[in-house]
Amino acid sequence: MAHRLLMASAALVMLYAGGCAVAPKSLSVKGIPDRLMENTILNTATGSVVSREQLIADLTTAEVVYVGESHTNPVHHAIQLDIIKALVQTTPHLVIGMEMFDHTYQPVLDRWTSGELETTDFIEKTHWYANWRFDFDLYRDILEFAKEKGIRVVGLNVPFHIPARISVGGIDNLSADDRRHLPRTIDTTDADHRAYVEEIFNMHTIRGREKFTYFYEAQCTWEDAMAEAVAKNTGPGKMVVLAGNGHIIRKFGIPKRAFSRTRAPFKTVYLAPVGGKAELTWADYLWSTSEQRMLRGPMHADEIKKP
């Protein structure tokens, strides 16, 4: 105990050395003069800060709610669960759509939410660490809550090897077996989305992935496959979609593509760590969060984004 107190005292001395404290980090939002402190929610339509209760009240008006994430940030998953818990109180048929599972695992997901599987079996049967690979503990509370409440969890993704194959060989070179997993329509005509993805592409050089055309086909396949899954599973209740921020930013990933299929009203919530920058066009709501990360797990393509 004495050692911990000594360390804490030393930290305080360093923090206040010279008579000034280290300013807490905040989020800079383009077009907003005041920076957002941690755990602040901004309504981007009005440019005003709102309470959690006001956010939830607005989300209840949508049929589909997209909540983004930085995959390794535990705070983001806690916020996602908080939103799910709030919406399930007024939505008898809530569904959770998750990027983290591809559609072929739906029978396993159904067994999980019906209470048939224990955690170890679930991890093994979904091949979690071969597919998603991020630490299961990041998503444990969300999945345990879904199981406890019997909330259906839907796998939105295509099998994970398919976008990778497209990115190196294009859609035309997929096998017939791979093609059966593709969405009916794949939209590659959105100029704004293309420019966003191309900027990311130009930031990273990966051998074998030199053709942007293939890279963009892979990204659009990813987006449209998940949008199609959202459309197919939007029923009498609401759906909360959990996906990386890169899939919901500016709505031109999953949200607009799902909307074109269903016309179901939706809202987007972008979780943005303090210390960075954001824009009003990124989502209906910006929620500033801590930078906390669990430093285990690989870097996924949709984790590589511009600030």
Side-chain angles (χ1 to χ4, degrees):
M1 177 63 76
H3 176 71
R4 289 198 296 269
L5 289 173
L6 182 60
M7 293 294 291
S9 298
L12 286 173
V13 169
M14 293 178 65
L15 183 64
Y16 290 100
C20 60
V22 176
K25 290 185 177 181
S26 57
L27 179 70
S28 173
V29 181
K30 185 177 181 180
I32 299 295
D34 297 327
R35 299 176 69 91
L36 302 186
M37 303 307 294
E38 186 177 315
N39 204 32
T40 301
I41 305 170
L42 184 75
N43 181 325
T44 61
T46 63
S48 59
V49 172
V50 298
S51 66
R52 171 191 173 279
E53 290 72 25
Q54 289 172 313
L55 167 69
I56 297 301
D58 192 30
L59 296 185
T60 60
T61 66
E63 290 184 30
V64 185
V65 175
Y66 297 88
V67 189
E69 64 177 63
S70 292
H71 300 314
T72 55
N73 192 323
V75 174
H76 289 190
H77 302 299
I79 291 172
Q80 290 171 330
L81 178 56
D82 182 61
I83 290 174
I84 290 169
K85 286 182 174 180
L87 292 179
V88 78
Q89 294 181 21
T90 57
T91 306
H93 300 289
L94 187 72
V95 174
I96 302 172
M98 298 186 69
E99 175 196 0
M100 301 80 206
F101 302 98
D102 82 58
H103 67 91
T104 65
Y105 290 97
Q106 195 58 52
V108 181
L109 291 169
D110 291 341
R111 290 185 64 192
W112 168 260
T113 53
S114 66
E116 295 180 29
L117 297 176
E118 296 301 322
T119 303
T120 300
D121 291 333
F122 179 70
I123 291 172
E124 292 176 354
K125 291 182 183 299
T126 57
H127 304 105
W128 178 272
Y129 287 108
N131 291 322
W132 192 242
R133 296 184 292 165
F134 292 103
D135 197 307
F136 184 79
D137 285 342
L138 289 161
Y139 300 88
R140 182 186 298 272
D141 290 346
I142 293 171
L143 290 164
E144 290 285 358
F145 182 76
K147 181 180 182 181
E148 175 189 342
K149 299 298 182 181
I151 301 172
R152 188 164 190 249
V153 175
V154 173
L156 301 179
N157 227 320
V158 289
F160 288 87
H161 68 275
I162 291 178
R165 288 182 179 178
I166 296 173
S167 69
V168 299
I171 292 175
D172 289 345
N173 288 316
L174 287 179
S175 67
D177 186 60
D178 284 345
R179 283 175 173 275
R180 67 188 178 88
H181 297 289
L182 297 181
R184 290 186 178 181
T185 59
I186 300 173
D187 182 9
T188 60
T189 64
D190 189 317
D192 291 335
H193 183 250
R194 186 182 185 91
Y196 168 74
V197 175
E198 188 165 18
E199 185 169 346
I200 297 170
F201 176 80
N202 291 332
M203 291 168 61
H204 305 275
T205 301
I206 301 176
R207 186 174 182 179
R209 298 183 182 180
E210 293 87 2
K211 291 187 177 181
F212 173 70
T213 299
Y214 291 168
F215 185 84
Y216 190 57
E217 284 182 355
Q219 189 68 33
C220 291
T221 298
W222 209 356
E223 308 293 6
D224 273 305
M226 290 194 281
E228 187 170 278
V230 169
K232 287 180 178 179
N233 291 279
T234 302
K238 299 181 187 299
M239 176 181 282
V240 176
V241 174
L242 309 182
N245 278 332
H247 292 298
I248 74 165
I249 190 171
R250 298 196 180 103
K251 306 179 184 179
F252 47 30
I254 307 172
K256 284 186 177 179
R257 294 166 193 252
F259 181 76
S260 71
R261 290 166 164 85
T262 65
R263 316 310 293 181
F266 67 88
K267 297 287 184 181
T268 56
V269 182
Y270 189 105
L271 306 182
V274 294
K277 298 179 180 180
E279 297 180 16
L280 295 173
T281 58
W282 285 10
D284 295 305
Y285 290 93
L286 296 174
W287 188 325
S288 61
T289 75
S290 75
E291 296 178 290
Q292 182 181 359
R293 283 178 175 268
M294 180 179 287
L295 298 178
R296 283 179 285 175
M299 180 71 80
H300 274 214
D302 64 337
E303 282 284 274
I304 305 172
K305 310 178 189 70
K306 62 182 181 179

